[in-house]
């Protein structure tokens, strides 16, 4: 599974976020809260959904299943002029990303992430960069369907 290397241009997103850890996963709660309200966002770009993780400094160097991070459910927008009540904004800054295509049920996602962090990244010419990680769920995303597809974007920078 070789990624594409992409330069992301800045993206503005509107959505909801929650503090969680891998041991106290609240992803389902977040999406159940966001999905009924997403139609209130009027200035969307495309139909893709974004699942974003904002990790603190040294999150991966001192990895602990109980360390909390910000998890977002969001959609891309043209601007932040009108943000519905109970929604917030986040900007994905421009930068270099490794883009992996995860094919299969969402429950198989940890296998893809394990490959990325334990095999691909150590063997690559890149290291993690301190920017948000995210997944893009478009038309081919079908949650637990074995034919589901989503893009996983991992922030990287060249090794020195």
């Amino acid at each position: 599974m070789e990624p594409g290397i992409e330069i992301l241009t800045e993206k503005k997103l509107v959505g909801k976020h929650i503090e969680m850890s891998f041991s106290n996963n609240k992803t389902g709660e977040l999406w159940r809260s966001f999905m009924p309200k997403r139609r209130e966002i009027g200035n969307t770009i495309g139909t893709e959904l974004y699942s974003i993780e904002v990790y603190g400094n040294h999150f991966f160097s001192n990895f602990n299943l109980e360390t909390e991070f910000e998890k977002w459910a969001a959609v891309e927008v043209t601007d932040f002029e009108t943000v519905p009540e109970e929604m917030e904004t986040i900007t994905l800054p421009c930068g270099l990303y490794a883009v992996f295509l995860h094919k299969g049920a969402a429950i198989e996602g940890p296998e893809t992430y394990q490959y990325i962090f334990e095999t691909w990244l150590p063997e690559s010419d890149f290291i993690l960069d301190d920017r948000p990680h995210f997944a893009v769920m478009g038309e081919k995303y079908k949650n637990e369907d074995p034919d589901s597809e989503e893009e996983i974007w991992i922030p990287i920078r060249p090794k020195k």
Side-chain angles (χ1 to χ4, degrees):
M1 175 187 317
E2 280 302 306
I5 305 300
E6 304 273 342
I7 297 174
L8 179 79
T9 57
E10 182 182 273
K11 290 187 179 292
K12 292 176 172 55
L13 297 110
V14 170
K16 291 185 162 201
H17 82 276
I18 196 167
E19 294 288 325
M20 60 177 260
S21 66
F22 286 113
S23 65
N24 186 18
N25 189 329
K26 299 178 183 177
T27 301
E29 175 185 332
L30 173 64
W31 283 98
R32 282 189 298 276
S33 169
F34 173 72
M35 289 303 282
K37 303 258 185 201
R38 75 182 170 129
R39 299 267 184 245
E40 296 176 14
I41 305 168
N43 52 343
T44 59
I45 298 174
T47 59
E48 293 87 4
L49 300 172
Y50 287 75
S51 177
I52 306 161
E53 296 86 26
V54 180
Y55 301 109
N57 291 341
H58 312 295
F59 182 89
F60 290 99
S61 58
N62 299 312
F63 185 74
N64 180 325
L65 289 173
E66 311 223 350
T67 303
E68 290 198 335
F69 59 92
E70 258 182 36
K71 177 84 167 196
W72 286 77
V75 293
E76 187 177 6
V77 296
T78 55
D79 55 57
F80 295 143
E81 295 299 316
T82 56
V83 178
E85 279 189 47
E86 299 179 25
M87 297 276 184
E88 301 168 90
T89 64
I90 184 171
T91 300
L92 296 176
C94 56
L96 196 62
Y97 278 83
V99 183
F100 296 84
L101 182 62
H102 170 71
K103 292 184 180 184
I107 199 164
E108 298 168 357
E111 295 171 23
T112 300
Y113 283 97
Q114 183 175 5
Y115 167 78
I116 292 168
F117 289 106
E118 293 181 5
T119 303
W120 181 81
L121 192 60
E123 294 175 4
S124 76
D125 294 329
F126 303 97
I127 58 174
L128 278 180
D129 202 0
D130 186 23
R131 287 178 282 118
H133 298 222
F134 63 96
V136 179
M137 296 164 289
E139 289 180 12
K140 293 183 179 181
Y141 180 75
K142 300 174 186 132
N143 201 6
E144 293 306 333
D145 188 305
D147 294 325
S148 183
E149 293 184 14
E150 67 185 280
E151 292 179 351
I152 297 172
W153 291 64
I154 305 296
I156 56 173
R157 59 186 165 91
K159 288 179 182 173
K160 292 184 180 185

